[in-house]
Amino acid sequence: MMSLWTRISRLAGALLFGAAMPLAHASTPAGVLDLLGITPSAESVDYVTHKKQYQLQTLLTEQSHPATRDLSTQIAADTLQGVNALLSVDLDVSHALQRIVRNPDQMQTLQNASRAMENALASGKKIYLYGTGASGRVALQVESALWRPFWQRARATAGGQKILSQFPDIDGAVVGDITGGDRALVSSLPSFEDLPLIGRLQWQQRAIRSGDVALAITEGGETPAVIGAIRAAADSVSLSGVHDRLFLYNNPNHVLLPLDRSRQVLRDARIDKINLTTGPQAIMGSTRMQAATIELYVVGVLLEDALQRFLAARLASEERASLGFSGALDLKQRLLRFVAVRRSVARAARQLARWSEREAQTYAAGRFSSYFAAQALLPVFTDLTERTPTFHLDPLDSVDLRARKSWAQVWTPVDTPQQAWRALLQRPFHGLDSAYFQAAFSQGIDDPVQRQTALASLKQAGDDPQYRYDFSFSQRNVERAGPNPGDLGVLVLLADESPSEHRFERWLKLFAQSKAHLQIVSVSPNSAPSFPGAQAVHVHIAESDPLRLNQQIALKMLINVHSSAVMAKLGRVVGNSMTDVVPGNWKLIGRATALIMLHVNHVLQSPAWIARHGRGRPISYAEANAVLFDAMSHAQGAQASEVARSIVRIVESLKRQRGVSWVEVNGMLKDTRLGDYLAPYRQAANQSPSGISRGMRSWIDATSPAAGSVTT
């Protein structure tokens, strides 16, 4: 299987990028840059020449998935067809988990990790989780949506009281950290992800001890901040010999070993490696989807497995049953329960498509959506905030805005901002201590631009954000950002929650009286809820679910597909590529550059272009990067993304044989979506502009379970 991944990723690099990546701008022949009148900026020259470790186009997670390659066209014609295409990619998670349970070495690594977690709980130590961006939200979700709520429920049972009397701090035994502190939940902070130093500092500040479990999570397997954290955990503590330093990632080793920072971890014998490769994402490069799903599921399963044994040593069977542990599943069985969860989500496709259509229509009409959640607050909050960098949207509104800008907001049934943050995190808000980090940043970051950016980001990462962002159901919020006719209200319910509860009914009536549309989304073992005038999406999860992991995973998959479908219908996806991505760090600059080159060269290779303009030289990576940096410096007054503007400026200039200005491009994209602009050059759905998707189709066939294996 690994040899197949090797062939595909090398094919990807050769066909899509390898032939068009010069060593430096100096080697780029005269061409499109001369036509555009662009001289590569110093930042672009530095990036192309010296930041090759962040040019990650050959990673498997950065490739195009064949099941969704024509998503934007599919979903424009038939929303249900597009939703089913997105849902189908979660089969890759099922296949990956089935491969893992058949692999003795991988199972031994997971069993060792579960034992290390059990030992940490029994000895009063901690389980630390760390990630950046989507993987950081996974770390927080494990703590704040799985672990802490479990112990809140446990307080109402005799078994829970018995454990809490012996281990009074066990509800704080799992600690989730995101790069940049809790402020990064709202939006990532520029430069932080690119710094190994910040991960090292955040975990050094935690004072991780021998016997603690340190688990670092990175979708790509190359995130500098996450690598800094796990290396700090390995360096600063005498290992206890129970496999308590863990690195979870989602790319094959062979594509990561050329990266210096990844190689340092993969070859470090002190760190256990857990490879969870699923393949390309449903949206190209969007690791918030399948990569984050398998990470959350596997970490949750490990924790649940460890907790089952911990409780079995201290409670009778009826006491464990009152906490949701009514059976004795082994680790393999727990991992394979994902198969049934995925099926349950897929069965809701038709309801999901109707919800996605309604929300897309809401935004297209210039109206807003408001989500309302209690137990489901963190997964909803996570999805809303992840839409911002993925689809070039305004971030969540802060309290100082007089009118709504963000398309979506989320409220929870409490009265103050501080209570809302507490409901979200199930603990007090944790910002970064600027005094602790400032001196280290000033002295430890060599690149002057990166140092300046990091210090500016640090000013936003303290405790103040808990006062700047208010998602309470307060009268102030109702007056400032309450519902209007044509808006959409989405109530999200989990487990035993019901719309008939007063806290939910009051919100529903407010939106109904305001002539807003209503949508209820529920994931639970109960029957589907209803409310007069509301559409509903319901996913039934029937199995024993003590940490409510299966319900959380089902909800995550559901809303990830929903938000991706909405944005695809609104033209913020072309094919399955995130052409509205915000190039906010070095990795995303690389992704944006690759997308510009991919789509421009697709146009230049298309029969429609060749018939009218003849064959031309493909643009190089360096040229695409130079145009991207120029677009980033001319963002004022632009509504379209840097990627979209760069693609259109290059293509239009080549078409007209003169340099088209950014002002002209802004005018062209004011009323025209990038997908519509590129439509005349797009090939038939069964063809591929680069040949990669033909290879990826082989990958899907080869990585499907063998005949006779567990069904999916």
Side-chain angles (χ1 to χ4, degrees), residues 188 376 463 482 555 580 606:
S188 61
D463 290 331
L555 180 58
D580 273 36
S606 69

Side-chain angles (χ1 to χ4, degrees), residues 358 362 484-490 507 511-512 515-519 533-534:
R358 173 169 277 184
T362 299
N484 287 295
D487 286 348
L488 175 64
V490 183
W507 183 87
F511 275 70
K515 293 183 171 50
H517 301 292
L518 290 177
Q519 176 76 48

